Amino acid sequence: MAVAPGDTRFEVAGHLTENHIGGQWVAAQSGQRRPDVNPADFSDVLGEFAESGGADVDLAVEEARRALDDWRGIGPIKRAAFMMKALRVLERRSQELAYAITREQGKLLKEATGEVQRAMAVLEFTAGQARLLGGVTAPAEEERTFAYTFRKAIGVVGLIAPWNFPLAIPMWKVAPALLAGCTAILKPSPLTPLTSALLVDVFHEAGLPDGVLNLVQGDAAAGEALVANPAVAGISFTGSLPVGTAIHTGGAGRLLRTQLELGGKNAVVVCDDADLDKAVDAVVHGAFGQAGQRCSATSRAVVDVRVREEFLERLVARVAHLRVGPGFDAASELCPVVDPARLDAALAAIAGAQRDGGKVVCGGGREERPDLAEGCYVQPTVIRDVPWDAELAQEEVFGPVLAVVDAEDFDDALRIANSVKYGMSGTVFTASQTRAFEALDRFEAGMLHVNRPGVGAYAHLPHVGDKASQYGPPECSPEVFDFYTAWHSACISY
């Protein structure tokens, strides 16, 4: 599908609104459908997408089971060849994917373009692991015996993806699952069905064998059916802590393997010796990029009281001038949130922080201008004097709302940073090498940063959290194959 530059309302091909099962685009057996609405403009409905149930999931699992032996049998090097074909298709269709992301998820077009590049990097890196996906030889205790280890795909896997990175996160599940030799059922968020349909279409165009990658659109009913199906060997999930916990406990009775990337309440610690301009740049990027809708988003700035006022002055001067608008407007600097529920959650968090003693110094409400269509626009909001144990300082918001929390000194700042149940990302700004390394040692977080924005890692580094932010092996990186494969050992007497 060609997309002309500036064309924000390209027509969605009808087959992309269906499920993709066994190599065919098919309607949901329920006959039910759900609208996909542009959060920047409620009048822009992309299409009506399949709303699937357990019967659709069971059909997709059966097709994945049927394809498993042949796919697992061709080996990782031949599987990687399909992925490299998909990479070339993805590169050719990159503009189409970026437009789809902006239109249905809302993020700025430059952010969507960056997400496509990230997905390409993940696919390229993963394909390159094909010649490394082996085991080791080991000494044997007996004579004339050869001992070694090897990996084997765990089987059919369910991949449940969120809406905030509707291409990159599905890709960093799909790519390693397929390279490992698993067959898969992808269930994306019902808020971003088109982008995942396009991802599956890319692999279909690349010639991936039927049944290896299946797509089931829908909400909780489809996800619950994936967890319950006894032929599904593992579930990789990215989303909220309550849903992740329900997946894990729901599959525990049959020892379902789970990989869960959950919430975050990430802190940037600003020490009294920090470069404040760099710290402000990082906090603005981390807190308000993608309207704060990232698991690694900066939602707390924990600032030494000796530099608090200067930091706030510089921060507010920046944030107050951020232009909120639709993702296709080149002048926009902050996109809408994804749907009315996120908008209401952000406004409720702001009101709650004020009840707890926080003071809004920037933003604080909906963005309403005559030039904006009806959409999910929230002003970028900074709230100072937030108690470290207030709800806004403890619970995830997933919106453009930043809590500024006072710290008496470095030790107090780290105590506050670690006071939450989550542990996704931790960042420190300091001129002291000693403090930097001490922070890296003491942060209770999976992805750590010094004097740079704290928003995730590279395609070849583990995307991983600590505490309630993560359960199971990391995503991305070579370590991801510890989820999609099982280790085996063999001893051969000759």
Side-chain angles (χ1 to χ4, degrees):
M1 181 194 316
V3 181
D7 179 8
T8 63
R9 296 196 179 214
F10 62 87
E11 184 178 352
V12 176
H15 68 277
L16 294 173
T17 66
E18 311 294 354
N19 294 328
H20 188 81
I21 298 175
Q24 304 295 320
W25 293 96
V26 295
Q29 296 186 37
S30 67
Q32 296 180 355
R33 307 186 72 78
R34 174 193 293 262
D36 186 15
V37 180
N38 183 347
D41 182 356
F42 292 160
S43 70
D44 179 22
V45 179
L46 284 70
E48 299 277 337
F49 285 76
E51 182 66 29
S52 305
D56 302 290
V57 168
D58 292 346
L59 179 60
V61 171
E62 184 56 36
E63 290 295 328
R65 286 183 64 185
R66 189 173 290 120
L68 178 62
D69 286 345
D70 287 345
W71 181 247
R72 191 158 51 186
I74 67 173
I77 295 174
K78 290 183 178 179
R79 293 194 292 265
F82 284 102
M83 300 174 70
M84 293 306 296
K85 291 178 184 177
L87 178 61
R88 291 191 288 272
V89 176
L90 181 58
E91 185 173 18
R92 175 170 53 78
R93 297 177 64 176
S94 60
Q95 187 187 61
E96 177 188 0
L97 268 294
Y99 272 64
I101 292 168
T102 291
R103 190 173 171 211
E104 75 170 351
Q105 197 272 345
K107 66 181 65 175
L108 304 181
L109 184 57
K110 65 180 181 181
E111 293 173 334
T113 300
E115 180 175 347
V116 175
Q117 295 297 318
R118 176 68 182 270
M120 291 170 61
V122 168
L123 187 53
E124 181 182 44
F125 166 77
T126 306
Q129 293 295 296
R131 296 178 185 273
L132 302 174
L133 200 61
V136 299
T137 59
E141 296 180 5
E142 301 154 310
E143 295 179 356
R144 302 177 66 82
T145 301
F146 178 63
Y148 72 104
T149 65
F150 63 95
R151 295 177 181 265
K152 187 176 180 181
I154 62 172
V156 176
V157 293
L159 312 175
I160 303 177
W163 49 262
N164 60 326
F165 285 91
L167 180 65
I169 292 180
M171 183 64 82
W172 74 49
K173 297 179 186 296
V174 167
L178 299 191
L179 186 73
C182 297
T183 54
I185 299 92
L186 172 63
K187 195 212 80 66
S189 166
L191 295 177
T192 52
L194 174 60
T195 305
S196 287
L198 288 169
L199 181 153
V200 171
D201 201 44
V202 163
F203 278 94
H204 183 69
E205 184 179 340
L208 194 71
D210 294 347
V212 171
L213 175 60
N214 304 275
L215 173 71
V216 176
Q217 303 281 12
D219 205 349
E224 291 166 358
L226 269 176
V227 174
N229 192 302
V232 175
I235 295 285
S236 177
F237 168 79
T238 300
S240 70
L241 176 58
V243 176
T245 302
I247 289 171
H248 187 66
T249 57
R254 62 183 185 89
L255 302 180
L256 176 70
R257 183 179 290 209
T258 57
Q259 178 191 50
L260 310 173
E261 190 222 298
L262 307 170
K265 191 64 184 175
N266 310 296
V268 170
V269 170
V270 181
C271 298
D272 61 347
D273 61 345
D275 183 322
L276 294 184
D277 287 330
K278 286 185 177 181
V280 166
D281 287 345
V283 168
V284 170
H285 176 68
F288 303 111
Q290 294 186 196
Q293 299 172 118
R294 295 182 285 213
C295 63
S296 59
T298 300
S299 56
R300 295 177 295 157
V302 182
V303 185
D304 191 297
V305 292
R306 285 162 287 196
V307 295
R308 173 191 56 202
E309 298 304 324
E310 187 177 357
F311 172 82
L312 276 167
E313 182 181 352
R314 299 186 192 191
L315 176 67
V316 171
R318 285 281 306 281
V319 176
H321 291 93
L322 291 176
R323 180 174 175 82
V324 181
F328 287 113
D329 185 347
S332 298
E333 297 173 287
L334 191 144
C335 66
V337 294
V338 73
D339 71 345
R342 282 295 94 216
L343 185 150
D344 291 344
L347 298 180
I350 294 167
Q354 291 175 296
R355 288 193 298 270
D356 288 336
K359 299 179 179 63
V360 174
V361 292
C362 186
R366 297 186 65 162
E367 181 73 11
E368 297 176 314
R369 299 196 312 267
D371 63 307
L372 288 179
E374 184 181 7
C376 300
Y377 297 103
V378 181
Q379 295 171 340
T381 300
V382 177
I383 306 178
R384 66 171 295 168
D385 301 338
V386 178
W388 70 269
D389 56 351
E391 184 175 2
L392 184 63
Q394 293 288 311
E395 297 296 335
E396 191 172 40
V397 176
F398 237 59
V401 182
L402 174 70
V404 180
V405 183
D406 294 347
E408 294 301 320
D409 53 28
F410 178 66
D411 287 333
D412 190 41
L414 289 179
R415 177 192 65 80
I416 293 169
N418 291 335
S419 68
V420 298
K421 61 189 172 188
Y422 299 109
M424 185 61 69
S425 176
T427 305
V428 63
F429 276 82
T430 179
S432 165
Q433 186 180 69
T434 299
R435 281 180 171 176
F437 279 95
E438 188 170 350
L440 295 177
D441 184 54
R442 292 169 59 185
F443 262 129
E444 296 171 358
M447 295 180 289
L448 305 174
H449 306 269
V450 176
N451 295 332
R452 67 184 303 274
V455 288
Y458 306 124
H460 55 284
L461 291 182
H463 193 285
V464 63
D466 199 357
K467 298 196 290 190
S469 290
Q470 181 84 31
Y471 182 87
E475 301 207 73
C476 304
S477 77
E479 287 75 20
V480 70
F481 296 106
D482 287 338
F483 175 71
Y484 294 106
T485 63
W487 282 105
H488 298 262
S489 64
C491 297
I492 305 169
S493 176
Y494 58 88

